[in-house]
Amino acid sequence: MKDLLKFLTCGSVDDGKSTLIGHMLYDAKLIFADQKQALELDSQVGSNDGKIDYSLLLDGLMAEREQGITIDVAYRYFTSDNRSFIVADSPGHEQYTRNMAVGAAFADLAVILVDATKGVIQQTKRHSRICSLMGIRHAVLAINKMDLVDYDENIYHNIHSDFKALCEDLHFDTVYSIPVSATEGDNLTHLSVNTPWYKGQPLLSFLENIDVSKYQKIDGFLLPVQRVSRPNRTFRGFQGEIASGSIKIGDPITVYPENETSKVKSILLGDKNVEEAFLGQPVTVQLEDEIDVSRGSVLASGRVPLVADLFTSTLLWMDNERLVEGRSYHLKIGTKTINATIMDIKYRIDIHTSDHIPAEYLEKNEIASVDIATTDRIVFEKFEDNEALGGFILIDKVSNMTSACGVVEHALRRSDNVSFEKMDVTKEIRAEKKGQKPIALWFTGLSSAGKSTLANALEKKLVSLGKHTMVLDGNNIRKGLNHDLGFDEPDRIENIRRVAEVVKLMNDAGLITISAFISPYESDRITAHEIIGEEFVEIYVSTPLEVCEARDVRGLYKKARNGEIPNFTGVSSPYEVPKNPDFVIDTSNSSVDDSISQIMKYLDQYL
Amino acid sequence: MSNLTHLDQLEAEAIYIIREVAAECERPVMLYSIGKDSSVMMHLAMKAFYPEIPPFPFLHVDTTWKFSEMIKFRDRKAKELGIQMISYTNPEGLKNNINPFDHGAGYTDIMKTDALKQALDKYQFTAAFGGARRDEEKSRAKERIFSFRNSQHAWDPKNQRPEMWKLYNSKINKGESIRVFPISNWTEKDIWQYIKRENIEIVSLYFAKERPVVERDGNIILVDDDRMRFLPGEKPMMKMVRFRTLGCYPLTGGTYSSADTLDAIIEETLGAVASERTSRVIDQEAAASMERRKREGYF
Ligand SMILES: Nc1nc2c(ncn2[C@@H]2O[C@H](COP(=O)(O)OP(=O)(O)O)[C@@H](O)[C@H]2O)c(=O)[nH]1
């Protein structure tokens, strides 16, 4: 029976990927006659002086490019006498790196193209690193366009050495370089007379013969449970694909993380009862005892997987939004999906130099070492020990995008994790726990302008949306914290300073604050802004003095006019209109509900 | 140590995918077109859950123009396996007598695309298995196994989620849904070899037999019932024909063949001179616009 080789082709745009595969299939007579005819016909129409353009066979993407359709991995299928092949043809452009990574996660082997006239370039490094990260252990460097360098042996050797040097800190078991010409067909299906110095195999034979079977790095049986099947009262089976080793009826089983034990009672391979089942087979296992097993549990025999709630990973960030410490995602590892928090971005890896660079956030397509904590203990393995239990993805909780993929390097214990202890619980983490971004809404305006009414109504609205909030106003500040302060200018300044400091602390705690103070002086508001920082949002309640005075909710204007209150803003003390408020609202002609919906509309960008 | 063959690996991958959907998605359904690919997919679903029957229903979108043999096969199969089979026809289309002779491409839109969307909405399915394969045509070659549809059932090829290892991301927001293609990586040849290996029953239209047909624009069309409309001068002739794909009989081209056994079909397929899709009339018209149709919600 034939086996299957899944391989990836990658390289820069115009390195000759499509031509290479197209020409190989054509020469090996592995294409349908109608495809062949169409190819020969298309090529005649094309400009290439009637020479066959082999790339047409693969470039479904060409037409698509013209239509402005996205470039993505395309899968192609062919079969030779010895093997079935699936080619993941991945895009060359840097901006499609994540699509290239999809192809790499799929494949067992990578054919990495370089242009002999250019040698190993940055894109070669990026692709090789991603291939290695995603678990590819066999790399073939197709040094293409040898016809353009007169089939020069030295050029081949130089590029091959560069590539070997590059692969030194990667995890390839096979590193093989083949000098080829995709247009001329050299060393594709048979050795070329143009490279008598090349003693290796042509590409197709290499692909047909290489052994990519994953040798087991760990002993023992592992079955991540996909699903518990209970069709009736007598049958309770655990369904999944064997991720390591093999299992026989009667074998002892420990279930992780539950840590319960039993024995194998029966094994179904599809719809057939079997005595024994092996790596890669989809099975349904029944156990002797009724023990607690659910999706995400792992049945193990002869192997103790890692069980922890903190681990160090290497990940590829793939989202347009940057990754910051403290954010939470859904983490999917094996068959388990769980809430996880990015605890520490330890460093990012420079693709070019392999250097470790300190980083506080990650941009799309960056690779980094990151510590991740899960809300509960989960079962996993190091990726190098087992792919099925060592690879994970992070899913954005709002967009549902697959934001990152990564591999487990090792488990950490919370107690002995230096980086975790080194890193304090940050503002971001506190906010993340509350599922919100802290903001400091600062209402300013005359007495009776509507600040407190709006602040209280707004708080109700925000709380109804699940936000965590705090209103600060004269009532709760003046009577406690600031009871020692009066209303002259120095005390007003101190009042605002203290309020701003409290707001800052509450923002640090992850809260959304709403403060309602007259705060009449521009300079004080500037100070408050400086203390609070970027969370500060100034909302000017611009209701005119006449309206405020007509309202005179607390009878204060009357008293001020009678001279009973000195330094009353608007009457005997100035109100400086904000120069650049973030939002202005006049409550003279709008109901509270209207005003709140206007404010909410504006706040949308912050929430 | 047993090394999995290529078919074993494809089978394991498909079963894994089917089980993931059953475990993670709220309301899955398996689309069933009665064709050979659907038959393989159904067989895989039966195997994936045995001894349980698949924990989701099957859905057939009936245009009322399918080969009559297909409908009989569907009903018998559902009964034998004890699965729930939903058949759905677009009521508007039925009322307006939308048919492949008078309505051309509009027919496909109304009786297939619209009907499918209506059915998915009606039953509020959040995930639908489809039997499409990546080797069938170019827009599918780039589609993920878990492929997202917005509330209008439209596909956004520019924003496909990365799909890593076996870690399928099935998270969706309300109103969105997923199309899942568990046999994405199978080729036509794999399908036939698997049908043989597993002894899967398929509609007999796949086997060559003397059948009444007419030849039209190079296509061989079966005269399946008396709704068939003939062009001037056309008369049914009895010929040995078989079908490489099944759909609505007036839109499905057969091939002259004497392959009346599975082995003969496999032989013919292995040495095939034409890729499979050329025998589906509709696809010839619309090949270039498949991507457009997918974006608009054609599966
Ligand atoms: N239920 C249903 N599914 C369809 C229809 N048209 C396309 N599909 C989906 O697209 C796939 C097409 O494959 P199929 O027709 O079985 O393969 P073929 O006969 O070999 O071409 C099906 O498996 C379905 O998932 C339809 O009219 N009804």
Side-chain angles (χ1 to χ4, degrees):
Chain A
M1 275 306 260
K2 284 181 191 175
D3 68 354
L4 177 65
L5 176 69
K6 302 175 182 178
F7 72 97
L8 167 80
T9 56
C10 57
S12 283
V13 194
D14 293 333
D15 279 352
K17 234 165 12 103
S18 306
T19 312
L20 181 88
I21 301 300
H23 201 150
M24 187 175 80
L25 297 188
Y26 185 90
D27 282 0
K29 304 195 169 44
L30 298 175
I31 58 177
F32 283 122
D34 69 326
Q35 290 173 319
K36 185 170 170 219
Q37 261 168 18
L39 179 63
E40 284 159 2
L41 213 75
D42 279 357
S43 299
Q44 278 166 24
V45 179
S47 55
N48 235 354
D49 348 311
K51 261 193 173 175
I52 294 182
D53 180 355
Y54 299 97
S55 73
L56 294 176
L57 193 58
L58 289 219
D59 262 347
L61 298 175
M62 272 216 323
E64 291 154 9
R65 229 174 261 154
E66 284 153 21
Q67 295 169 28
I69 292 169
T70 308
I71 299 174
D72 213 318
V73 204
Y75 300 83
R76 333 246 169 212
Y77 303 80
F78 68 95
T79 305
S80 74
D81 290 340
N82 310 330
R83 235 180 197 170
S84 289
F85 296 91
I86 306 179
V87 191
D89 184 10
S90 76
H93 308 64
E94 188 182 334
Q95 70 264 41
Y96 302 120
T97 299
R98 76 177 187 204
N99 295 336
M100 183 266 158
V102 169
F106 172 82
D108 298 317
L109 175 148
V111 176
I112 302 169
L113 266 88
V114 291
D115 183 330
T117 65
K118 295 183 186 143
V120 169
I121 58 172
Q122 178 140 3
Q123 191 70 330
T124 321
K125 296 183 181 174
R126 177 186 299 277
H127 285 173
S128 305
R129 183 169 293 279
I130 290 174
C131 286
S132 166
L133 175 67
M134 304 307 289
I136 290 181
R137 295 293 165 255
H138 309 278
V140 185
L141 189 72
I143 303 176
N144 191 26
K145 307 193 184 175
M146 286 302 292
D147 52 310
L148 297 184
V149 296
D150 296 326
Y151 301 97
D152 185 333
E153 182 177 2
N154 287 328
I155 291 187
Y156 165 81
H157 283 299
N158 289 341
I159 296 178
H160 177 59
S161 326
D162 287 351
F163 186 59
K164 280 204 100 128
L166 159 66
C167 293
E168 229 142 67
D169 70 302
L170 304 180
H171 306 285
F172 296 130
D173 298 334
T174 310
V175 176
Y176 198 86
S177 296
I178 307 178
V180 299
S181 165
T183 46
E184 307 306 314
D186 300 291
N187 297 325
L188 296 183
T189 53
H190 52 268
L191 286 177
S192 167
V193 291
N194 293 322
T195 52
W197 42 265
Y198 174 67
K199 303 289 181 230
Q201 298 183 63
L203 182 59
L204 184 60
S205 326
F206 184 82
L207 295 175
E208 283 189 297
N209 296 318
I210 184 165
D211 179 10
V212 295
S213 56
K214 301 219 166 95
Y215 56 91
Q216 295 248 53
K217 286 166 215 147
I218 51 171
D219 289 328
F221 165 81
L222 293 171
L223 178 74
V225 175
Q226 278 188 286
R227 195 172 168 273
V228 179
S229 174
R230 284 214 95 135
N232 55 52
R233 233 176 264 159
T234 53
F235 189 92
R236 183 159 176 261
F238 307 113
Q239 300 175 332
E241 185 177 306
I242 299 177
S244 169
S246 63
I247 192 73
K248 283 197 300 291
I249 291 179
D251 281 354
I253 289 284
T254 305
V255 182
Y256 296 94
E258 290 83 357
N259 235 327
E260 295 198 53
T261 56
S262 183
K263 280 199 170 79
V264 175
K265 180 165 112 188
S266 77
I267 306 167
L268 280 165
L269 175 58
D271 51 3
K272 293 199 177 45
N273 274 295
V274 292
E275 282 293 315
E276 188 173 10
F278 303 92
L279 175 68
Q281 291 184 324
V283 291
T284 302
V285 172
Q286 284 200 93
L287 300 180
E288 294 284 358
D289 311 276
E290 276 273 324
I291 57 174
D292 196 14
V293 179
S294 52
R295 176 172 163 84
S297 302
V298 175
L299 308 191
S301 188
R303 169 78 188 173
V304 181
L306 302 169
V307 181
D309 56 4
L310 190 64
F311 61 86
T312 297
S313 71
T314 303
L315 64 73
L316 170 67
W317 186 247
M318 304 188 290
D319 207 318
N320 295 329
E321 298 251 335
R322 54 164 68 159
L323 172 76
V324 289
E325 289 175 359
R327 280 210 65 186
S328 298
Y329 296 87
H330 300 294
L331 172 113
K332 186 169 182 185
I333 187 162
T335 57
K336 180 81 184 171
T337 304
I338 191 168
N339 203 23
T341 304
I342 306 297
M343 299 308 294
D344 186 15
I345 301 173
K346 302 204 297 183
Y347 54 82
R348 139 180 110 67
I349 298 165
D350 185 299
I351 299 271
H352 207 54
T353 60
S354 306
D355 288 345
H356 296 176
I357 300 171
E360 257 145 42
Y361 57 85
L362 293 181
E363 302 280 8
K364 188 169 167 177
N365 296 337
E366 289 184 339
I367 297 175
S369 175
V370 171
D371 288 348
I372 296 177
T374 52
T375 49
D376 234 322
R377 288 172 3 120
I378 54 169
V379 188
F380 54 89
E381 291 280 0
K382 294 182 192 179
F383 185 76
E384 59 175 37
D385 288 340
N386 188 275
E387 270 192 28
L389 279 171
F392 65 87
I393 55 171
L394 297 176
I395 302 170
D396 187 282
K397 288 181 172 175
V398 177
S399 69
N400 290 328
M401 190 63 180
T402 306
S403 298
C405 59
V407 302
V408 174
E409 300 293 354
H410 51 87
L412 293 168
R413 270 182 293 152
R414 294 233 181 203
S415 53
D416 68 14
N417 174 21
V418 189
S419 66
F420 178 64
E421 288 202 321
K422 183 184 74 194
M423 194 192 67
D424 296 326
V425 174
T426 61
K427 183 175 174 178
E428 284 73 28
I429 292 170
R430 295 186 203 104
E432 187 61 42
K433 287 279 162 217
K434 298 186 175 61
Q436 64 185 29
K437 273 194 273 185
I439 4 169
L441 300 171
W442 188 278
F443 285 92
T444 170
L446 294 168
S447 180
S448 290
K451 298 182 299 299
S452 297
T453 313
L454 293 183
N456 289 311
L458 186 62
E459 180 171 43
K460 274 188 203 157
K461 179 76 195 172
L462 290 171
V463 167
S464 77
L465 295 174
K467 303 294 175 191
H468 302 260
T469 57
M470 182 66 194
V471 168
L472 300 169
D473 61 13
N475 272 331
N476 56 16
I477 293 290
R478 280 279 179 189
K479 282 176 193 155
L481 179 65
N482 289 357
H483 79 111
D484 56 328
L485 299 178
F487 289 89
D488 59 0
E489 195 172 333
D491 277 7
R492 282 190 166 195
I493 292 172
E494 177 59 11
N495 181 42
I496 296 303
R497 188 194 68 79
R498 289 189 197 173
V499 170
E501 291 290 354
V502 170
V503 165
K504 183 181 152 71
L505 287 173
M506 290 188 168
N507 281 171
D508 275 359
L511 296 173
I512 294 172
T513 61
I514 309 170
S515 25
F517 297 91
I518 299 175
S519 42
Y521 301 112
E522 182 77 1
S523 61
D524 292 350
R525 293 187 301 256
I526 289 171
T527 308
H529 191 164
E530 280 167 6
I531 291 170
I532 293 166
E534 60 178 4
E535 281 79 11
F536 184 85
V537 176
E538 187 176 39
I539 300 177
Y540 172 36
V541 186
S542 67
T543 317
L545 180 62
E546 312 81 74
V547 180
C548 297
E549 194 159 356
R551 287 179 182 165
D552 203 6
V553 191
R554 294 170 206 94
L556 296 173
Y557 283 96
K558 205 167 159 216
K559 284 188 185 166
R561 291 286 177 205
N562 293 337
E564 290 167 40
I565 306 174
N567 297 327
F568 191 76
T569 306
V571 177
S572 45
S573 172
Y575 179 83
E576 295 172 12
V577 172
K579 290 206 180 74
N580 290 305
D582 294 291
F583 192 71
V584 182
I585 182 140
D586 180 345
T587 64
S588 334
N589 303 313
S590 88
S591 71
V592 174
D593 282 353
D594 278 354
S595 303
I596 292 301
S597 63
Q598 283 178 53
I599 296 173
M600 285 305 294
K601 215 160 151 193
Y602 169 74
L603 288 184
D604 201 43
Q605 59 187 309
Y606 297 102
L607 297 176
Chain B
M1 185 66 217
S2 87
N3 254 330
L4 266 60
T5 66
H6 147 236
L7 280 182
D8 291 335
Q9 286 187 52
L10 291 173
E11 179 190 60
E13 178 185 60
I15 289 179
Y16 190 88
I17 292 162
I18 293 170
R19 286 172 171 174
E20 278 298 281
V21 171
E24 288 202 332
C25 298
E26 212 174 313
R27 282 183 68 79
V29 65
M30 185 169 275
L31 299 189
Y32 177 64
S33 73
I34 323 177
K36 64 185 193 314
D37 298 339
S38 284
S39 296
V40 164
M41 192 165 66
M42 180 186 269
H43 179 83
L44 289 164
M46 296 305 296
K47 269 186 114 163
F49 299 105
Y50 182 86
E52 191 181 340
I53 58 161
F56 43 74
F58 291 73
L59 170 68
H60 177 241
V61 174
D62 192 352
T63 58
T64 72
W65 290 91
K66 301 287 173 190
F67 292 92
S68 51
E69 217 183 289
M70 292 169 69
I71 302 300
K72 284 189 215 124
F73 182 89
R74 174 194 76 191
D75 295 342
R76 177 169 60 76
K77 215 68 215 169
K79 214 165 169 185
E80 274 174 23
L81 300 176
I83 54 176
Q84 185 193 352
M85 177 70 68
I86 301 170
S87 172
Y88 185 88
T89 304
N90 181 348
E92 288 291 300
L94 202 59
K95 204 170 73 195
N96 297 323
N97 189 26
I98 302 297
N99 67 74
F101 299 108
D102 299 321
H103 303 97
Y107 162 76
T108 307
D109 285 344
I110 296 167
M111 297 309 279
K112 287 182 84 173
T113 312
D114 291 351
L116 180 62
K117 289 197 241 179
Q118 287 169 3
L120 295 175
D121 288 342
K122 177 177 171 189
Y123 296 99
Q124 309 238 307
F125 292 122
T126 57
F129 292 103
R133 293 179 280 108
R134 282 170 173 159
D135 82 330
E136 283 176 311
E137 44 67 42
K138 284 172 179 169
S139 81
R140 280 185 177 156
K142 320 176 288 174
E143 190 165 5
R144 302 275 192 261
I145 289 174
F146 277 50
S147 188
F148 294 83
R149 298 293 184 270
N150 66 17
S151 53
Q152 310 311 310
H153 296 283
W155 181 45
D156 178 6
K158 286 204 167 83
N159 219 357
Q160 297 203 88
R161 295 179 188 173
E163 200 162 78
M164 302 300 179
W165 303 295
K166 280 181 290 192
L167 297 169
Y168 302 103
N169 171 357
S170 64
K171 299 266 181 214
I172 50 170
N173 290 318
K174 216 173 155 47
E176 297 170 345
S177 58
I178 316 177
R179 304 290 184 272
V180 183
F181 303 106
I183 56 170
S184 286
N185 287 324
W186 297 49
T187 62
E188 186 179 13
K189 205 194 302 178
D190 300 329
I191 293 286
W192 284 117
Q193 286 176 341
Y194 188 72
I195 287 173
K196 178 169 161 136
R197 186 183 98 172
E198 301 284 303
N199 201 10
I200 299 171
E201 191 189 2
I202 51 173
V203 182
S204 66
L205 289 160
Y206 284 112
F207 298 95
K209 199 178 117 180
E210 291 249 328
R211 295 186 163 96
V213 294
V214 297
E215 256 185 63
R216 191 178 281 181
D217 307 327
N219 291 301
I220 302 158
I221 308 293
L222 182 81
V223 182
D224 195 50
D225 59 33
D226 53 16
R227 293 178 298 174
M228 177 71 182
R229 294 202 204 148
F230 297 99
L231 297 177
E234 263 181 2
K235 259 180 73 181
M237 328 168 266
M238 291 303 284
K239 297 271 181 177
M240 274 299 265
V241 292
R242 67 177 205 88
F243 292 84
R244 290 181 68 185
T245 103
L246 299 182
C248 301
Y249 78 82
L251 297 178
T252 306
T255 47
Y256 293 125
S257 165
S258 56
D260 54 0
T261 62
L262 261 185
D263 283 327
I265 290 174
I266 292 173
E267 179 91 353
E268 204 179 87
T269 309
L270 293 182
V273 292
S275 47
E276 173 183 28
R277 283 280 147 175
T278 52
S279 59
R280 194 172 282 182
V281 181
I282 175 102
D283 276 344
Q284 271 177 343
E285 292 165 10
S289 57
M290 188 61 171
E291 181 144 346
R292 173 188 67 76
R293 289 167 63 208
K294 282 182 87 94
R295 287 193 205 210
E296 287 167 5
Y298 172 85
F299 204 62

